[in-house]
Amino acid sequence: MIGSHGTTFGGSPLACALGYHVLSRLSAKEFIANVQETSAYLQARLDQLPTWFPNTLKAGVRGRGLILGLGFKNAEDPAKLMKMARERGVLILTAGKDAVRFVPSLNIGRAEVDHAVDVLESCLQAM
């Protein structure tokens, strides 16, 4: 149909300038280094949880970068954990039937990582 692929702001000077600005910030070496450092820190914190909750969690952390997941031995537990964490202000997602995944913002800091993992730990203890 005529005009079915049209857009109001696509290709406008403002949209292009904004896209260039965002991509420039995301590709800055300092930003990438911070994302890598935070990812390693989050992974290290999550790596501890299966050793503390071996009856609930599968060993290891899945994923790359800041998109990480924890596997569960019982397929009902990820939904329970997601609900409990959400009630405590931490948003996580289920991933399939046996896992939860973490997809934080690229600019997340250590304090937010610590808060999120501390909440997860308290939820796992309550399960």
Side-chain angles (χ1 to χ4, degrees):
M1 296 185 58
I2 297 173
S4 64
H5 291 356
T7 178
T8 303
F9 301 107
S12 73
L14 177 62
C16 290
L18 182 61
Y20 177 79
H21 176 74
V22 170
L23 290 175
S24 296
R25 300 269 317 259
L26 290 176
S27 61
K29 290 181 182 180
E30 306 84 31
F31 186 80
I32 293 170
N34 185 61
V35 169
Q36 291 170 334
E37 181 183 313
T38 305
S39 171
Y41 183 68
L42 175 59
Q43 175 122 18
R45 289 286 321 262
L46 292 177
D47 276 335
Q48 295 173 329
L49 296 179
T51 62
W52 295 342
F53 303 98
N55 295 331
T56 305
L57 297 173
K58 294 179 181 177
V61 176
R62 305 175 188 178
R64 286 177 44 172
L66 285 171
I67 301 176
L68 300 172
L70 284 173
F72 284 77
K73 293 182 176 179
N74 181 344
E76 295 175 10
D77 288 343
K80 287 180 191 175
L81 181 71
M82 184 182 74
K83 183 176 186 264
M84 292 172 73
R86 193 167 284 175
E87 289 169 353
R88 292 168 169 85
V90 173
L91 301 177
I92 57 175
L93 304 166
T94 57
K97 295 180 181 177
D98 69 339
V100 294
R101 66 180 148 182
F102 309 89
V103 189
S105 299
L106 294 175
N107 63 350
I108 190 170
R110 281 185 178 233
E112 291 94 356
V113 168
D114 285 335
H115 174 73
V117 177
D118 290 346
V119 166
L120 293 175
E121 183 183 341
S122 73
C123 293
L124 288 165
Q125 287 174 345
M127 291 175 64

